[in-house]
Amino acid sequence: KTNNPQSMNFNGVDESVQCNNIGSAINTAREAFSASAWVNIDTTSNTGIIFKACAEGDNNNQLNMMYHNGTEEMRCTIKAGGTLDQPAYPVAAGEASDNSFENDGNWHHIAMTVDDAADKIILYVDGTARQTKTSLGTFDAAIDTCSIGQNTTNGSFFKGEIDEVAFWSTALTAANITTLYNSGAQDGEKALDLASGSHVPIPFAWYRFNEPSGTVAINTVDNTQNGTYVNAPTISTSTP
């Protein structure tokens, strides 16, 4: 498998990827679920959604990952039946060397795992588990919408580069997350093929964002459920 030579750059204004067609898969997986993405955040005055999946028009039932501008935190969220659990990093002064993730010139890996049986959601940033929350709620509406780079309805557009977004119907282990993080490290196995299942479980959706052009964001695992680029985010040759 060749290394992915590009990512997608989102302008923070109106660009995103619409992938509602994996909403039903997320709904099925929501109680044993993982998501992973690489991000390189530009200077922004807005909170930027990395991905969000929810019941249409119902923010009481959702899953998402984001960069929260106001607190300069990476966050992941499960909100089930109105009960919110939202691990964040950094969570205290001094963490992450007091750096905002904005415009630091670095790619960062963010991942979340949801394990309803163990009653916990874990946020990982750059390969390390940063915060765990418990006492998860119970979903009372079906998740059916999903987008990458913005809120599923409007606003909170991501500004910067996103690459290698993947979703699983299982709670990945810490070792799995380390493997994913090392795949973008300078000395890591950058040619990691998630669709092979040889290093981590096979995801149900994997957007590499390596299309040369066009409106289709290919789901490398299942190209019958591709995403659609909205307002043509630009190709970047910067990669993790």
Side-chain angles (χ1 to χ4, degrees), residues 81-209:
T83 299
L84 175 67
D85 278 292
Q86 187 166 253
Y89 177 76
V91 294
E95 292 189 3
S97 302
D98 284 330
N99 286 337
S100 163
F101 292 96
E102 292 181 36
N103 202 27
D104 66 357
N106 298 319
W107 281 90
H108 296 281
H109 186 255
I110 179 168
M112 65 183 287
T113 62
V114 177
D115 188 338
D116 187 66
D119 191 30
K120 63 182 178 182
I121 177 174
I122 305 175
L123 168 69
Y124 294 83
V125 179
D126 292 336
T128 300
R130 303 297 185 175
Q131 192 178 32
T132 300
K133 293 282 191 178
T134 58
S135 301
L136 308 184
T138 301
F139 286 95
D140 57 15
I143 289 174
D144 55 9
T145 65
C146 181
S147 63
I148 297 169
Q150 72 151 126
N151 191 306
T152 52
T153 51
N154 54 65
S156 297
F157 286 92
F158 185 89
K159 187 175 183 183
E161 294 153 328
I162 301 178
D163 204 10
E164 303 287 355
V165 181
F167 303 100
W168 288 261
S169 56
T170 186
L172 296 180
T173 65
N176 293 152
I177 302 298
T178 297
T179 298
L180 291 169
Y181 174 63
N182 286 339
S183 74
Q186 184 173 357
D187 298 323
E189 179 49 74
K190 295 176 73 72
L192 181 66
D193 183 0
L194 297 184
S196 73
S198 59
H199 298 285
V200 296
I202 298 173
F204 61 81
W206 179 26
Y207 303 96
R208 304 203 74 200
F209 297 151

